[in-house]
Amino acid sequence: MEPIVEGKVKTVYQGVDPEQVLIHYHDKVTAGNGEKEDYPEGKGKINNEISCIIFKELEKAGIKTHFIQYAGPALMRCKKVDIIPIEVVVRNYADGSIVRQTTIPKYTKFNPPLIEFYLKDDDKNDPLLTEDRLHIMGYRQLHQYKQYAREVNVVVSGLFEKIGIALIDFKIEFGVTADGLVVVADEISPDGCRLLAEGDKSMDKDLFRKGEGDIITAYSSILKSLQEIVNI
Ligand code: UDP
């Protein structure tokens, strides 16, 4: 199979159906725009399964996504989309770049959640965008992206709350299907979320970014807890 996109931790292959793709999640983790990387065994399978559970819950809640079905270990069948090169970050509490770049104290609660847009461009280091800049760049559907992001946040933070984990912040990407529909795309997994368990324990990629723990242990425990609640 010929890859159509090779990302940092995933490869997208053309499906047999021209309107479908297969996404392969690799046993790989990167941080700092690819400056730091590792190859934890089993990570692709775990992230794929977590992402499948989350996309299924979004679909159940009536939110349109690119997800079609689980397609085997580390494989997800999805609708083929054109990815919109904007990363949408939802923040329920302050952490990460907003704490580094502002005077807002860590874990300040945002109610309503903050929704921010970043350019998806590694060469430019994914800069934060203003609404005026987005407007000039031709993005006229910001209110729609914001509304979708809020709806996704309600479902995903609710899901994590059920397993005793606070969703501090997370990143989503949107794509456009062949028939012009904007859907939630890419993956939603601990790689793109900040997740805090009891005792302020990180359960996400910050463990790898900061060298503070084993992501496989944390991600596996999240998967196990999610499987328990969705099977009820
Ligand atoms: N994030 C991501 N990909 C990126 C940038 C951010 O998945 O290229 C996620 C990140 O994991 C966190 C949230 O978006 O859950 C907010 O990230 P932040 O702006 O705080 O940047 P960071 O501190 O991670 O550099």
Side-chain angles (χ1 to χ4, degrees), residues 3-7 9-13 22-26 75:
I4 49 178
V5 184
E6 295 214 53
V9 297
K10 297 189 292 293
T11 303
V12 181
Y13 295 95
L22 269 182
I23 301 181
H24 180 220
Y25 288 68
H26 301 297
L75 282 177

Side-chain angles (χ1 to χ4, degrees), residues 129-140:
L129 296 168
T130 64
E131 295 206 5
D132 284 343
R133 288 184 186 189
L134 279 153
H135 197 75
I136 294 166
M137 287 160 65
Y139 292 97
R140 301 284 143 87

Side-chain angles (χ1 to χ4, degrees), residues 50-51 54-55 58 152 156 170 172 184 186-190 193:
I50 293 174
S51 211
I54 294 176
F55 278 123
L58 292 175
V152 172
V156 182
F170 68 115
I172 45 185
V184 181
D186 192 49
E187 72 177 285
I188 302 184
S189 75
C193 300

Side-chain angles (χ1 to χ4, degrees), residues 44 56 67 79 103 144 213-214 221:
K56 275 191 207 162
F67 177 76
K79 289 177 196 139
T103 55
Q144 190 193 350
D214 174 35
S221 112

Side-chain angles (χ1 to χ4, degrees), residues 28-226:
K28 183 176 173 190
V29 57
T30 70
N33 204 356
E35 278 163 23
K36 187 176 175 189
E37 60 180 52
D38 194 15
Y39 298 85
E41 198 182 332
K43 185 204 171 238
K45 183 175 176 294
I46 298 168
N47 266 22
N48 179 44
E49 289 185 32
I50 293 174
S51 211
C52 283
I53 290 174
I54 294 176
F55 278 123
K56 275 191 207 162
E57 291 298 308
L58 292 175
E59 290 281 343
K60 255 201 250 169
I63 298 168
K64 300 261 177 281
T65 78
H66 68 155
F67 177 76
I68 299 174
Q69 64 186 177
Y70 172 83
L75 282 177
M76 182 187 274
R77 190 181 317 284
C78 292
K79 289 177 196 139
K80 191 173 188 174
V81 296
D82 283 329
I83 291 285
I84 298 167
I86 301 291
E87 298 189 343
V88 182
V89 169
V90 181
R91 299 185 189 275
N92 293 306
Y93 296 89
D95 200 353
S97 65
I98 198 164
V99 173
R100 293 197 303 274
Q101 295 166 0
T102 73
T103 55
I104 299 168
K106 188 167 171 172
Y107 298 148
T108 302
K109 186 171 170 57
F110 300 122
N111 193 11
L114 291 193
I115 297 175
E116 299 176 335
F117 300 97
Y118 292 81
L119 185 66
K120 185 176 158 68
D121 186 331
D122 285 345
D123 293 340
K124 291 183 165 41
N125 255 321
D126 296 352
L128 176 64
L129 296 168
T130 64
E131 295 206 5
D132 284 343
R133 288 184 186 189
L134 279 153
H135 197 75
I136 294 166
M137 287 160 65
Y139 292 97
R140 301 284 143 87
Q141 289 171 304
L142 296 187
H143 61 284
Q144 190 193 350
Y145 301 161
K146 279 189 178 173
Q147 184 54 31
Y148 286 170
R150 278 189 206 104
E151 290 169 8
V152 172
N153 185 43
V154 169
V155 175
V156 182
S157 56
L159 200 56
F160 282 116
E161 204 180 304
K162 281 192 197 155
I163 60 167
I165 287 177
L167 177 60
I168 302 298
D169 59 29
F170 68 115
K171 182 259 304 181
I172 45 185
E173 293 185 23
F174 293 105
V176 185
T177 62
D179 40 12
L181 202 67
V182 174
V183 298
V184 181
D186 192 49
E187 72 177 285
I188 302 184
S189 75
D191 269 11
C193 300
R194 279 202 174 84
L195 301 166
L196 217 56
E198 189 109 343
D200 284 358
K201 215 167 113 220
S202 267
M203 299 292 284
D204 56 69
K205 203 165 82 172
D206 269 356
L207 289 167
F208 174 70
R209 285 192 190 98
K210 299 178 180 171
E212 286 176 352
D214 174 35
I215 60 165
I216 294 297
T217 309
Y219 289 18
S220 312
S221 112
I222 287 175
L223 174 59
K224 191 166 165 278
S225 306
L226 288 176

